[in-house]
């Protein structure tokens, strides 16, 4: 992942606007969207699903704050491309974490959305690395494999000992949600139904998950089995298959080409 040189927030947004905002288009092919529209919010979440997976960092998980600006461009023979400006929040605490510029292209084929996203994050990169390393050491030195069910529980609570497991599930399921998302179909991770750790002889950490995804707007619950492998500083590896109510079994793994992600931190080295 190519980093960005440190720059003031205003310069950051000005520079990226030139790259990510739509160029002049033929009449009727481009229109502004209400920032509060479902389509704008859905595209912004797709961009963050992609970013959360590509970052592969439990300490850097981001959720959507508010969409500030959204434009939709129709590209002949390709699909619909969204140009977005939005704020982000810490996935766990809800605290403001920064802002992003992104494009999301929904292709006419059944391919995953093509995402280009650049974010300025207020959380210090060194702090994120320290959190990830602390989490990794706890998981790496388990003598007894971690197992769990129903995370969070019916009251929305997560046991402190299972918070790292839940955070990794969010990062891993972000890959599934990005890959399955379409212009009129989005996903939230509702719950980790079950999890089991595999003790490995190398430095990687490995988990088997069953995660429940909430499909919007159908309100269906999709059950996905996910095998996740993680080591800080390395790409997250995910293999999965899902039991879809309407489409039967679907599976996937690996990483696509043609999308890009980057994070600019106000302090510390670049990602």
């Amino acid at each position: 992942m190519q980093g960005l040189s440190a720059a003031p927030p205003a310069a950051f947004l000005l520079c990226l606007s030139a790259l990510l905002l739509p160029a002049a288009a033929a009449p009727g092919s481009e229109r502004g969207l209400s920032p509060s529209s479902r389509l704008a919010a859905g595209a912004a979440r797709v961009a963050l699903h992609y970013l959360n997976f590509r970052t592969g960092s439990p300490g850097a998980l981001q959720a959507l704050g508010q969409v500030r600006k959204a434009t939709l461009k129709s590209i002949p023979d390709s699909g619909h491309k969204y140009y977005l400006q939005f704020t982000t929040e810490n996935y766990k605490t809800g605290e403001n974490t920064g802002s992003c510029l992104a494009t999301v292209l929904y292709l006419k084929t059944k391919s995953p959305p093509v995402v280009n996203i650049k974010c300025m994050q207020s959380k210090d990169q060194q702090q994120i690395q320290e959190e990830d390393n602390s989490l990794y050491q706890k998981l790496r030195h388990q003598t007894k494999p971690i197992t769990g069910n129903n995370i969070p529980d019916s009251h929305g609570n997560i046991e402190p000992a299972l918070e790292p497991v839940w955070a990794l599930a969010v990062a891993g399921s972000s890959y599934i949600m990005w890959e399955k998302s379409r212009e009129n179909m989005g996903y939230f991770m509702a719950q980790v139904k079950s999890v089991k750790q595999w003790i490995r002889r190398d430095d990687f950490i490995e988990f088997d998950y069953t995660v429940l995804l909430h499909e919007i707007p159908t309100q269906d619950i999709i059950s996905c089995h996910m095998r996740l492998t993680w080591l800080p500083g390395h790409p997250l590896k995910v293999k999965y298959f899902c039991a879809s109510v309407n489409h039967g079994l679907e599976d996937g793994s690996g990483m696509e080409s043609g999308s890009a992600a980057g994070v600019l931190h106000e302090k510390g080295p670049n990602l």
Side-chain angles (χ1 to χ4, degrees):
M1 186 183 300
Q2 185 175 0
L4 299 174
S5 58
F12 167 79
L13 293 175
L14 182 62
C15 176
L16 291 182
S17 294
L19 295 175
L20 297 179
L21 293 181
S29 65
E30 179 184 320
R31 63 185 176 93
L33 292 177
S34 168
S36 61
S37 71
R38 180 177 62 84
L39 290 175
R45 290 191 183 96
V46 167
L48 286 175
H49 289 329
Y50 179 81
L51 179 66
N52 283 336
F53 170 74
R54 281 294 301 267
T55 305
S57 168
L61 292 173
Q62 299 185 71
L64 178 62
Q66 290 185 328
V67 178
R68 299 297 190 188
K69 185 176 181 181
T71 302
L72 170 59
K73 182 177 181 180
S74 180
I75 302 177
D77 301 322
S78 293
H80 289 163
K81 190 170 187 177
Y82 289 74
Y83 298 82
L84 306 156
Q85 297 180 18
F86 54 88
T87 61
T88 59
E89 299 175 349
N90 181 286
Y91 203 99
K92 179 181 177 182
T93 66
E95 297 176 352
N96 178 66
T97 56
S99 59
C100 300
L101 292 174
T103 62
V104 177
L105 173 61
Y106 294 103
L107 300 170
K108 291 184 177 180
T109 63
K110 293 184 178 181
S111 302
V114 178
V115 175
N116 192 316
I117 179 170
K118 304 290 183 182
C119 296
M120 182 186 67
Q121 194 176 82
S122 58
K123 193 172 183 180
D124 185 81
Q125 175 65 5
Q126 184 175 353
Q127 180 185 353
I128 293 173
Q129 291 176 344
E130 290 174 353
E131 290 179 9
D132 285 351
N133 287 331
S134 176
L135 182 152
Y136 170 78
Q137 293 300 329
K138 290 178 182 178
L139 297 176
R140 180 72 180 85
H141 293 95
Q142 291 286 326
T143 56
K144 183 179 180 182
I146 295 175
T147 60
N149 296 283
N150 301 323
I151 310 168
D153 62 21
S154 58
H155 300 288
N157 299 317
I158 301 175
E159 294 180 22
L162 293 176
E163 286 183 355
V165 176
W166 172 83
L168 278 174
V170 173
S173 66
S174 293
Y175 174 76
I176 305 174
M177 293 187 287
W178 160 73
E179 190 168 75
K180 290 174 66 64
S181 290
R182 298 295 180 264
E183 188 170 13
N184 292 297
M185 190 77 70
Y187 297 87
F188 293 88
M189 192 186 86
Q191 188 182 53
V192 173
K193 193 63 179 175
S194 65
V195 59
K196 178 181 179 180
Q197 182 180 11
W198 293 96
I199 301 298
R200 295 172 58 119
R201 294 183 179 180
D202 59 14
D203 292 333
F204 284 85
I205 291 172
E206 187 169 348
F207 285 96
D208 266 341
Y209 288 97
T210 297
V211 296
L212 302 182
L213 305 182
H214 186 193
E215 189 175 80
I216 303 296
T218 67
Q219 305 299 323
D220 287 343
I221 297 296
I222 311 299
S223 177
C224 298
H225 177 81
M226 176 174 68
R227 174 68 63 91
L228 179 148
T229 307
W230 178 62
L231 178 66
H234 291 71
L236 199 61
K237 297 180 181 179
V238 172
K239 294 183 178 181
Y240 74 90
F241 65 85
C242 297
S244 172
V245 173
N246 299 317
H247 304 98
L249 293 178
E250 300 175 356
D251 64 272
S253 64
M255 196 60 214
E256 99 313 339
S257 61
S259 296
V263 179
L264 172 68
H265 296 268
E266 291 183 328
K267 298 179 181 178
N270 297 308
L271 188 66

